[in-house]
DNA sequence: AATGAATGAGTTTTCATTCAT
DNA sequence: GATGAATGAAAACTCATTCAT
C-alpha cells in the first residue's frame, strides 16, 4: 500500500516547475523538511561529520531508493546499491547500520514525499471536497512518475512495520483533520460520532491508495478525470436520486 | 493490501467462540472451500497421486500458510514449513517445485477464501448497498480472525505479482458487476461512463481493504458499526444537506 | 597453558599400544568416555540422526582439531576445516552452530584426552609421588606428540573461558584428591589447612604445565629425566641439607 | 599464562587504597617504568618526533592496553582503541604500523611491568627463598590489580609468539640465576646438573603463574598466606617427615 | 512416498588500512 | 601531526535445492 492525499501546511514547499527532476527536487524538499522538524530517529553514531560525508550519504540513499523501488527489498543487495551510488561496498556501512536501516530511512523519506506532493493541491481547492479532488489528481500524477513509492511503502509492511503503520496513521489523521474542518465550515455532513469520523478518513485514504494503484501505477488514465469520478462518489454517494 | 468484499450467504462465518482457535477453524473452512471447487493447481507433475499424498500436500500447505502469515516470505524457511507440517524436508519437493510455488498456491487459496467469506453476506442483503454493508461486516470479521490474509496477499505484490494483480482485478470486477446490477435495478445512480464505473469499483474496494486493515487487523471495533458508518458514506456521500 | 597430570579411575581406558595413531585412538577413547557420562552440553538440534551423520560430524571435529591446533582460532576459517574434512562448507553448519561451538567441543575433547593420557601412568606408580612422576613423564610425552593440546587449551582462555576454567579447576581438583590420599596414607606431609592444600595442587599443576611447554613442546628432552628432576624438587624442596 | 616472579625492591607496589583505580595507578607506574629504561621501540620510522607526538603515542598505547586487556586481541578494533585514546582513527597509523605492532609493543611493556612489580620484593628478603616468597606475594598483588597482564601475555602465544617466548625464557633465566646464586651461597641444594637447574627454574615459574591465575585473578585470597604456603612446598617439598 | 544428509552459491557485515584534506 | 571518509578483501553464515537410501 502506498501514500495518499496529505497535509495542509507548507503549501509553498514546492515552488519550482512541478515536473522537472522529481527525485532531486524531492530530495531537496526533504532536506528542508528535516530541518523544520527535529527528526530524531536517525543513527547519530553514523551521522556524517563533513559535507563530503553528507553528499555520500545522500548518494547512497538515492541509489537505495532506485534499487529497492525496482527490485524490492529481498532482491536488492548492498552491492547493487553501492554500485549504483558509485561508492565502495564498505562505504555503505559508514552511514547505515544495515540494509534494514536504509530501508527505514527511505520509508520516512517516501512518506514525507507523498505528503509534500499533494500539499500544494490541497491548498488550491476552494472547499474541502475540491481540495481533496485536486489532491487525488496530484497524487495520481505523482505515483505515476514515482512508482517506487508504492513498492517501498507497501514493502514496509514487512520490512519496517512501524514505519508502515506510522505512515498510514498519520496520513489518516491529516485527512480526518481536513474533514473535521470541512464539517465545521458547514460543507460536509456531520459524521455520526468519533468512530464514524475515523471510518470516513480511512475509507477516503483507501480509495485514494487503490485508485493510485489502478490508475496511477498499473494504468495511466487522465488523473483529472479519475479524480473527478471519485469525487462525485465522495460528494453524493452511490444512491440513486 | 489484502482482500475485499465478494459473493454469497450467511454472515456468521465462524459460529463457535468468535475468538478462540481462529487458525484451526479457518483451516477447516479452507478445506471445505477447496472441495467446492477443485482449486486449479499450477503444477500437475507434482499433483499427489494417492490419498496419503493428498493429505501430505495439505499439511504442507496449511503449515506454509501459518508460517508465511506470521513471519513473512523472506523470514520463512522450507525447514520451518516442513517442521510445522511434521514431514521431512525433502518431502516438500515432492509436492512443490519451489518456495515461490507454495506461496503462489497460497495466494490463490487466500483469494478464494476471501471471496467465500463474504459471499453469503452479499446474498442476504436486500438491495445492492445493504449487501455491500453486510459483506464489509463479514470481511472485517474474517480478517480479524485470519490476519494471515493480509500478510499473504499483500506480500504477493513482491513474491507473486501476477497473483496479486489477479486477486484485485477479479475482486474489482465482481464489485463492478454488482454495482452494474444495482444500477440496472435502479437502486444506484448511473456512473458517468466506463471509466467512472471502474473508478467506483476500485474506490469501494480500497475503502474495504483499508477499513479491514484499520478496524479488522489493527483494531477490533464492532464490524457492524464500522460497516454501517462506511455504508452511510457510500450511500449519501460527504456533502452537507 | 595446557593440561597436566590427571585422574585415578579408568586406568584401563587406553590398553592398546600407547604410541600408534594417537589421534584416532584418542577419538575412540573419547567416544567411549562420552558414553560413560551423560555428556549434556551438546546441541541436540544438530545431533546427527544417522550413522552417516555421526561419521561426518567426527570428520569435521578431527579436521577442526588439526586446523585450530596449527593455525589458531582466528586464522582458521570454516572453509579450511571443511576442506580438510572433505565435506562441503554448508555441511559444517549441519553439525555445529558456529566456529565457536566446534572450538568448545574441542576443548572438552582435549581436556578429556589429557586426562586419559596420564591416567594409566598414575595408577602404575607405587606411592603418590612416584605416580606423579610417571604422570608427568606421560604428560611430557603426550604433549610432545599432540602439540595441538596446548594451542587449543590455551586459546580457550579467549574463545571459551568457561571451558578453560573448567579444565584447570577440574584438573586441580583431581590433583588435590591424590595429594589428600597420599597424606592420609602417610606419605606426604600435612598441608597447613584447606588453603594450603589448594595451593599445593595448583602449584603442582603449574609446574607440570610449564615443564610441558618447555620440555615437551619447545624442546624435547628425555621426559623421564625431566620428570625425575621435577620430582626431586617436589619431594624434598630446594632447601640445602 | 602470564608473568611471574622477578628482580628488586619494596613489596608495597601499591601504597594507596589497594583496590581503587587500579588502572590509572598502573598506567602511572608504567610511565615511570618506561622512563627508567628507554623501552626499545620496534619501529623507528614511526617514533614520535615532538613532545605532542610522544603524548599521543602514549595515549594510544594506554588505550590499547585497556582494550586488549578486556576484550582480547580479536575483539578489539583500532577504532575502539582510538576512541578510548580520544584521537582520530588515522592517528593510530602515525605511530604504529599495524594492530599487531601495538600488541607487540604492549607485550614488551607488560613483560617489563611484571619484572618491575616484583623486583623490589626480591631484594627485601633475606636469603633466596625468602626473596622468592616476597616476590610471589608481590606478584599476586600485582596481577590482582592488573588482570590485563594475563590476558595480554597469554594471548601473545597466538599474536606475538616471539614476544611470548622471550617473556618466559628471560623470566626463567632470571629465576635460574637467583637459584644459582642461592646454591653458591649454600642456601639451596645442588641441582643434579644443567637440566635439573633449568627444570627447577621452569617449575618455580609455572607454580607462580598458576598461583597468580588462581589466587590473584580468579580468587583474591591473602597474597602473603598463599605465598607462605607455596614457599613451604618449595623449601621442604611434599614428602612426609 | 518419505527421509534427512549434503551441497555451494550468495549475502551481509566487519575492519584493518590508506589517503586527501 | 591530526582527521575521518573511503576502500574492498575476507569471513561467517544461510538456505533453497538435490539426491542417495
Amino acid at each position: 500500500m502506498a501514500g495518499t492525499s496529505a497535509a495542509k501546511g507548507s503549501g509553498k514547499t514546492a515552488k519550482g516547475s512541478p515536473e522537472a527532476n522529481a527525485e532531486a527536487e524531492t530530495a531537496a524538499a526533504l532536506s528542508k523538511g528535516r530541518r523544520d522538524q527535529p527528526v530524531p530517529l536517525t543513527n547519530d553514531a553514523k551521522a556524517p561529520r563533513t559535507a563530503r560525508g553528507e553528499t555520500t550519504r545522500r548518494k547512497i540513499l538515492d541509489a537505495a531508493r532506485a534499487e529497492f523501488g525496482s527490485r524490492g527489498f529481498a532482491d536488492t543487495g548492498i552491492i547493487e546499491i553501492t554500485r549504483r551510488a558509485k561508492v565502495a561496498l564498505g562505504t555503505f556501512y559508514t552511514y547505515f547500520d544495515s540494509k534494514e536501516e536504509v530501508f527505514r530511512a527511505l520509508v520516512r523519506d517516501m512518506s514525507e514525499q507523498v505528503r509534500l506532493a499533494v500539499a500544494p493541491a490541497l491548498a488550491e481547492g476552494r472547499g474541502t471536497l475540491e481540495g481533496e479532488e485536486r489532491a487525488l489528481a496530484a497524487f495520481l500524477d505523482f505515483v505515476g512518475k514515482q512508482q517506487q513509492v508504492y513498492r517501498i511503502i507497501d514493502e514496509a509492511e514487512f520490512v519496517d512495520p512501524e514505519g508502515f503503520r506510522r505512515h498510514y496513521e498519520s496520513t489518516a489523521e491529516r485527512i480526518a483533520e481536513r474533514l473535521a474542518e470541512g464539517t465545521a465550515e458547514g460543507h460536509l455532513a456531520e459524521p455520526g460520532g468519533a468512530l464514524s469520523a475515523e471510518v470516513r478518513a480511512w475509507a477516503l485514504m483507501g480509495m485514494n491508495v487503490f485508485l493510485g494503484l489502478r490508475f496511477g501505477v498499473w494504468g495511466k488514465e487522465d488523473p483529472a478525470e479519475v479524480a473527478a469520478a471519485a469525487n462525485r462518489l465522495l460528494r453524493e454517494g452511490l444512491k440513486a436520486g
Side-chain angles (χ1 to χ4, degrees), chain A residues 20-60:
Chain A
N21 200 353
E23 189 152 351
E25 190 174 3
T26 330
L30 258 167
S31 301
K32 245 178 266 169
R34 265 197 214 100
R35 270 159 217 142
D36 290 350
Q37 304 179 342
V39 181
L41 306 177
T42 329
N43 189 339
D44 280 14
K46 304 233 158 178
R49 275 182 252 286
T50 66
R52 186 190 180 199
E54 181 60 43
T55 305
T56 304
R57 196 192 121 98
R58 178 148 312 283
K59 281 198 296 181
I60 293 170

Side-chain angles (χ1 to χ4, degrees), chain A residues 31-175:
Chain A
S31 301
K32 245 178 266 169
R34 265 197 214 100
R35 270 159 217 142
D36 290 350
Q37 304 179 342
V39 181
L41 306 177
T42 329
N43 189 339
D44 280 14
K46 304 233 158 178
R49 275 182 252 286
T50 66
R52 186 190 180 199
E54 181 60 43
T55 305
T56 304
R57 196 192 121 98
R58 178 148 312 283
K59 281 198 296 181
I60 293 170
L61 214 44
D62 289 343
R65 174 160 43 231
E67 293 291 334
F68 285 141
S70 65
R71 293 166 159 53
F73 185 80
D75 294 344
T76 296
I78 306 295
I79 295 192
E80 279 133 291
I81 294 174
T82 53
R83 194 183 296 139
R84 181 185 280 252
K86 296 205 167 82
V87 298
L89 175 57
T91 304
F92 177 90
Y93 292 93
T94 305
Y95 299 103
F96 300 95
D97 276 330
S98 65
K99 196 178 159 184
E100 273 79 13
E101 209 201 274
V102 228
F103 194 87
R104 269 179 242 124
L106 233 38
V107 171
R108 283 193 169 263
D109 267 23
M110 301 311 273
S111 180
E112 191 63 2
Q113 285 206 32
V114 172
R115 191 178 69 75
L116 293 172
V118 297
L122 277 168
E124 272 170 26
R126 289 150 313 173
T128 307
L129 288 171
E130 202 181 314
E132 293 300 326
E133 181 174 345
R134 295 189 182 216
L136 174 54
F139 176 65
L140 292 170
D141 200 74
F142 176 73
V143 299
K145 297 198 206 90
Q146 290 274 338
Q147 309 213 350
Q148 315 144 21
V149 186
Y150 269 81
R151 307 266 336 214
I152 289 171
I153 296 188
D154 285 10
E155 198 152 22
E157 182 177 355
F158 305 95
V159 181
D160 176 20
E162 284 81 34
F164 177 73
R165 197 160 173 160
R166 194 191 320 120
H167 170 67
Y168 282 120
E169 288 181 341
S170 64
T171 302
E173 232 159 84
R174 275 183 259 118
I175 296 175

Side-chain angles (χ1 to χ4, degrees), chain A residues 176 191-201:
Chain A
L195 176 65
S196 205
E198 201 180 353
V199 167
R200 281 178 169 190

